[in-house]
């Protein structure tokens, strides 16, 4: 995997937005897998700015969701469907038809999961999947000990993740759902390019374990080690526990520009 150490989250956002723009120039109807949470917001802001500046035409882009809470009422502002529509689909000027996500309100959750996996495959697969990382090493909502071969399915959040996400629910952990639908690790690994963005000191341990630790279901993000085209973009704080930080810096500094991410 490639590790790129950037000065701050804005630089990470710009780098990944440019990779998405490049993809859209090559493949105007690319399927972009997007993540939620605080970390990816600079990516979406930078990509929307490129669209407004006429640097890329995103009108044919398609967007798909990584995960979703189970049981939040339709239209709840913190459902990930609402978040992705608000933070990605609308700023890019896309129609709702360009967007796909799992149905967190479904009565039959396993059927909704199967439907979503099928829809992703029928859409031709994800071209670039943006990922965050949890402080517990999760990707999507694949919590520690998720099967590395898992498909989209229901999961139970760890207490740590519910504490981390309470800030989106007025700081009240009781409002954070226990259950979620998440693309499985096996599903995520089918995307053609995985790009994980992590910023801040709180992610430093999880990043070091994912990048330099053993491949382990205990650290779901370590599954990126299995992918032939995985890019990890980290700011200095999130990179601070990497043993190979200097090597990663030197490698990226010497990288030919034409390679892109
Ligand atoms: P965050 O979430 O970007 O809000 O820290 C990341 C994640 O849980 O995947």
């Amino acid at each position: 995997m490639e590790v790129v150490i950037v000065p701050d989250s804005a630089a990470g956002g710009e780098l990944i937005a440019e990779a998405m723009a490049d993809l859209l120039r090559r493949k105007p109807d690319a399927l972009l897998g997007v993540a939620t949470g605080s970390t990816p917001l600079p990516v979406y802001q930078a990509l929307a700015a490129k669209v407004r500046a006429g640097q890329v035409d995103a009108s044919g882009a398609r967007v798909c969701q990584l995960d979703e809470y189970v049981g939040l009422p339709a239209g709840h502002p913190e459902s990930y469907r609402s978040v992705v529509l608000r933070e990605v689909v609308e700023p890019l000027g896309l129609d709702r038809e360009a967007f796909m996500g799992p149905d967190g309100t479904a009565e039959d959750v396993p059927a909704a999961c199967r439907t979503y996996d099928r829809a992703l495959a029928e859409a031709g697969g994800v071209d670039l999947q943006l990922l965050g990382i949890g402080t517990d090493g999760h990707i999507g909502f694949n919590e520690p000990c998720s099967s590395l071969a898992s498909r989209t399915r229901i999961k139970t959040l760890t207490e740590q993740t519910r504490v981390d996400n309470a800030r989106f629910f007025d700081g009240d952990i009781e409002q954070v759902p226990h259950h979620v639908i998440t693309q499985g690790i096996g599903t995520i690994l089918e995307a053609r390019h995985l790009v994980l963005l992590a910023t801040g000191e709180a992610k430093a341990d999880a990043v070091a374990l994912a990048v330099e630790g053993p491949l382990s279901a205990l650290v779901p993000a370590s599954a990126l080690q299995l992918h032939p085209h995985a890019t990890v973009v980290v700011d200095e704080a999130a990179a601070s526990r990497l043993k190979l930080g200097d090597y990663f810096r030197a490698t990226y500094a010497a990288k030919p520009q034409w390679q892109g991410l």
Side-chain angles (χ1 to χ4, degrees), residues 39-182:
T39 312
L41 296 179
V43 177
Y44 308 139
Q45 286 155 7
L47 184 59
K50 288 178 192 300
V51 170
R52 284 195 304 274
Q55 293 167 8
V56 60
D57 176 6
S59 60
R62 298 171 297 149
V63 170
C64 67
Q65 217 174 311
L66 183 59
D67 46 14
E68 180 58 283
Y69 291 113
V70 168
L72 290 183
H76 188 291
E78 293 308 327
S79 77
Y80 283 173
R81 176 176 301 247
S82 298
V83 172
V84 171
L85 289 173
R86 188 166 68 233
E87 305 290 355
V88 185
V89 175
E90 285 162 19
L92 292 181
L94 301 176
D95 292 336
R96 286 192 175 210
E97 289 70 55
F99 162 76
M100 17 189 314
D103 182 1
T105 67
E107 291 228 334
D108 186 343
V109 174
C113 295
R114 286 193 298 273
T115 300
Y116 190 50
D117 259 352
R118 220 170 21 243
L120 289 172
E122 282 166 7
V126 177
D127 290 294
L128 185 157
Q129 177 65 56
L130 181 58
L131 299 164
I133 184 170
T135 55
D136 63 2
H138 71 212
I139 46 172
F141 271 140
N142 293 284
E143 297 287 31
C145 294
S146 288
S147 158
L148 299 179
S150 48
R151 311 301 306 174
T152 300
R153 70 218 182 289
I154 190 167
K155 287 293 288 181
T156 304
L157 294 180
T158 60
E159 184 76 0
Q160 179 65 54
T161 298
R162 292 181 66 239
V163 167
D164 288 347
N165 286 8
R167 68 190 193 281
F168 297 113
F169 293 86
D170 305 320
D172 178 9
I173 188 175
E174 293 309 317
Q175 290 183 43
V176 183
H178 285 272
H179 293 116
V180 292
I181 293 173
T182 181

